[in-house]
């Protein structure tokens, strides 16, 4: 892999998969780095970014589409391609199209799949943003007429960019803003020759962002360990019995929060429904029911957790008092 070290690099961001543009909107909340940091070239040592995203671009209409046509013709190089939304199967019907973006010389819409076919082979790296683009997401549930899928199912899990980089998947519904921007930053560092090949796990997620479970970073972990489970929403206790899948889901949101470190599903009372996982949503349904595996693990935790909690309360009561020798003669503390 040869570094490209350009002064600027174009990021072509297609939101015309099947999705809600939620990942683009989430990105506006990123701070580490922010979109502004990248487009203003505020970070030393990495290329300045020219961002072409339909929701965030200054260009409109043909002016906006021009960058995509130039890239497809090989006149824009290097560029990173970001795909948002799941990829429909355009071969599963006699006529029409499921998703498109811009139009050709005859005025006909250009299907999103065709853009991916044109641009992916020329891209320095390809990034899938959000769970729809990575693994199909909500739209890829059974019965979906579009036959839609994630980018790795569309291009192939072994696919490599012309720089030899696998598809980089940053899942989440929506994607955690700083996790996505940090991934982009890593790729820019790699493009500048300052970082080795991006480390990805078997689901093509950046390892340093998706290497721990929700449970391992959850504010409520102490309650779980003591067998102290919430029976209703609004409680500050562990919400596993209300449907939290955190112990088996890889996601850093409880550690990182959503915006400026604030939030993070179970931290603020929302059960984890596994939105960063390739099995989402089908394998996590019905939502809000106690996960099947949790019944056994929480029963085991209950056996010792309550005893540990009672003993800790005893110790805590003692530690919450000053030592006896500090009390003034005739004092009332203890
Ligand atoms: S709320 Fe979920 S992630 Fe947090 S401690 Fe309980 S089971 Fe684990
Ligand atoms: S904590 Fe669970 S539901 Fe929340 S973003 Fe992470 S994987 Fe999705």
């Amino acid at each position: 892999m040869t570094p490209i070290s350009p002064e600027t690099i174009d990021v072509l961001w297609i939101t015309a998969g099947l999705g809600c543009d939620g990942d683009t909107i989430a990105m506006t909340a990123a701070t580490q780095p922010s979109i502004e940091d990248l487009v203003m070239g505020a970070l030393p040592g990495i290329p300045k970014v020219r961002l072409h995203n339909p929701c965030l671009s200054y260009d409109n209409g043909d002016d906006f589409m021009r960058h995509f046509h130039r890239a497809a013709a090989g006149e824009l190089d290097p560029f990173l391609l970001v795909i948002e939304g799941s990829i429909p199967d355009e071969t599963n019907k006699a006529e029409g199209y499921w998703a498109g973006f811009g139009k050709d010389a005859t005025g006909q819409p250009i299907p999103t799949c065709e853009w991916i076919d044109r641009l992916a082979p020329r891209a320095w790296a390809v990034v899938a943003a959000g769970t729809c683009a990575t693994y199909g997401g909500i739209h890829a549930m059974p019965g979906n007429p579009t036959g839609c899928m994630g980018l790795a199912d569309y291009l192939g899990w072994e696919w490599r960019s012309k720089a030899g980089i696998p598809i980089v998947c940053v899942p989440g519904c929506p994607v955690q803003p700083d996790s996505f921007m940090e991934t982009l930053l890593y790729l820019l560092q790699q493009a500048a020759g300052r970082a080795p090949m991006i480390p990805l796990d078997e689901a093509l997620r950046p390892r340093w962002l998706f290497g721990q479970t929700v449970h391992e970073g959850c504010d409520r972990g102490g309650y779980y360990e003591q067998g102290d489970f919430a029976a209703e929403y609004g409680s500050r206790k562990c919400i596993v019995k209300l449907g939290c899948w955190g112990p088996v889901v890889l996601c850093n949101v409880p550690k990182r929060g959503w915006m400026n470190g604030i939030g993070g599903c179970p931290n603020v009372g929302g059960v984890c429904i596994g939105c960063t996982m390739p099995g989402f949503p089908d394998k996590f349904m019905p939502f809000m029911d106690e996960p099947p595996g949790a019944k056994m693990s929480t029963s085991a935790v209950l056996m010792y957790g309550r005893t540990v909690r009672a003993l800790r309360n005893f110790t805590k009561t003692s530690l919450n008092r000053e030592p006896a020798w500090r009390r003034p003669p005739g004092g009332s503390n203890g």
Side-chain angles (χ1 to χ4, degrees), residues 224-227 300-310:
Y224 183 101
E225 186 232 1
Q226 295 182 161
V301 170
L302 273 175
M303 282 172 60
Y304 68 85
R306 284 181 178 159
T307 310
V308 168
R309 183 157 33 115

Side-chain angles (χ1 to χ4, degrees), residues 214-215 218-221 224 237-240 244-247 266:
V214 170
H215 188 69
C218 179
D219 285 354
R220 298 172 189 245
Y224 183 101
K237 299 177 180 177
C238 168
I239 48 181
V240 68
C244 185
W245 283 83

Side-chain angles (χ1 to χ4, degrees), residues 126-131 133-136 150-153 156-160 166-172 183 198-207 210-211 249-251 274-280:
V126 175
V127 184
T131 301
T134 51
Y135 312 125
L151 197 58
D153 284 329
W157 286 80
E158 302 304 320
W159 186 90
R160 297 286 183 276
I167 299 166
V168 178
C169 290
V170 196
T183 304
I198 186 166
L200 305 175
D201 68 12
E202 67 276 13
L204 302 176
R205 295 168 293 209
R207 282 187 183 280
F210 293 90
V249 169
L250 296 164
C251 173
C275 75
T276 57
M277 302 295 274
F280 175 84

Side-chain angles (χ1 to χ4, degrees), residues 172-174 214 249-254 258 264-266 271-276:
C173 190
V214 170
V249 169
L250 296 164
C251 173
N252 65 1
V253 157
W258 277 107
C265 308
V271 294
C272 171
I273 55 173
C275 75
T276 57

